[in-house]
Every structure is written in structure tokens, then in C-alpha cells.
Amino acid sequence: LKMGRVFFNTRKNIVDVAAAKTLIASDSGSVFNINQASAYEITLPLSTTIEKGWNATFVIGTAAANAVTIANHTDEDKIIGGVAGHDGNASTASESAVDEIVFISGAVVGDTCDVLYNGTNFIVTGLAGDAAHITVS
């Protein structure tokens, strides 16, 4: 018996973001292409509205001199994890639940973080040109 190849989900759902946005359950699996032309906040969904496994990727697509924040819903502090840098400096990380992830002014195109909801917390992992480009606090 010879099996043929079957490909699913071969293309990512890319969402351009240049202004404040609140994410919902159906945003899971999306890649958010961040434009830093202005300062704004992307709000993660309230954990009671999503299931374990909800995930998203955030990447700088257009770098500029403004900070873009990825924040918990105001009723929660559930972000844990960290971001490493190609520069070899210490990563920015938090072992206890915090409020936000910030792509700072000075971030560069390609700086990226992934967020995964594990049923308790939003776990962030990322890689940036410099560890300080993405803060977790």
C-alpha cells in the first residue's frame, strides 16, 4: 500500500495590524504582522473565552519609533516566558504571571514572539535581533 502526501494548513493566516486590536478565540493560529507607525495595544483574549492550545505569532513587519504592546485582558495577569536575542545578551523573561509583552521603539523587522495558552497561562517565547527589543514584564 502506497500512501500519497496530504498537506493541511500549508499557508499561515497573516493579519496586518497597525492600530489597537482585541483578539478573540477565532484568531488562534494567526500571525500578526505588526506595523510600528503608531503606538497601540493588542489585547489577548480573556482566558475563559478560549481553549487550551490557543496560539498566535507576533512579528515586526514594519519597524518605526513606536512601542507596540501585547497585553492581557484587564482582568488577568497570565503572561509568562521570555525572549532571547541574537546579540547574546540576557533574555527578557518572567517566571511569574505579568501584564504585557512590548515590542519597543528600536525593534527591527523580523523580531518575533509566539504566545500559547496552556490552559492556565499565556506562555511567550521569542527571538529578537537584540534581547531588549521585546520585553516581558
Side-chain angles (χ1 to χ4, degrees):
L1 178 68
K2 188 172 185 179
M3 300 290 290
R5 289 187 185 180
V6 179
F7 297 100
F8 296 99
N9 299 321
T10 57
R11 189 177 71 80
K12 301 265 186 193
N13 181 35
I14 307 292
V15 179
D16 293 327
V17 183
K21 181 172 185 66
T22 298
L23 304 183
I24 59 176
S26 62
D27 288 319
S28 183
S30 295
V31 176
F32 294 94
N33 190 41
I34 295 172
N35 183 330
Q36 287 184 304
S38 63
Y40 57 91
E41 184 172 285
I42 299 168
T43 305
L44 295 171
L46 186 63
S47 64
T48 57
T49 66
I50 60 174
E51 295 181 23
K52 184 188 311 186
W54 185 96
N55 66 91
T57 297
F58 301 89
V59 61
I60 295 293
T62 303
N66 294 290
V68 173
T69 301
I70 300 162
N72 285 294
H73 185 280
T74 55
D75 291 342
E76 299 179 330
D77 291 325
K78 291 185 175 257
I79 296 172
I80 294 178
V83 176
H86 291 292
D87 60 354
N89 287 331
S91 63
T92 62
S94 178
E95 294 177 11
S96 58
V98 295
D99 295 328
E100 62 188 22
I101 303 158
V102 179
F103 286 85
I104 67 162
S105 171
V108 297
V109 172
D111 285 352
T112 303
C113 73
D114 295 307
V115 176
L116 170 68
Y117 181 64
N118 70 356
T120 303
N121 291 298
F122 290 98
I123 308 299
V124 59
T125 57
L127 188 61
D130 183 304
H133 287 180
I134 305 172
T135 62
V136 180
S137 61

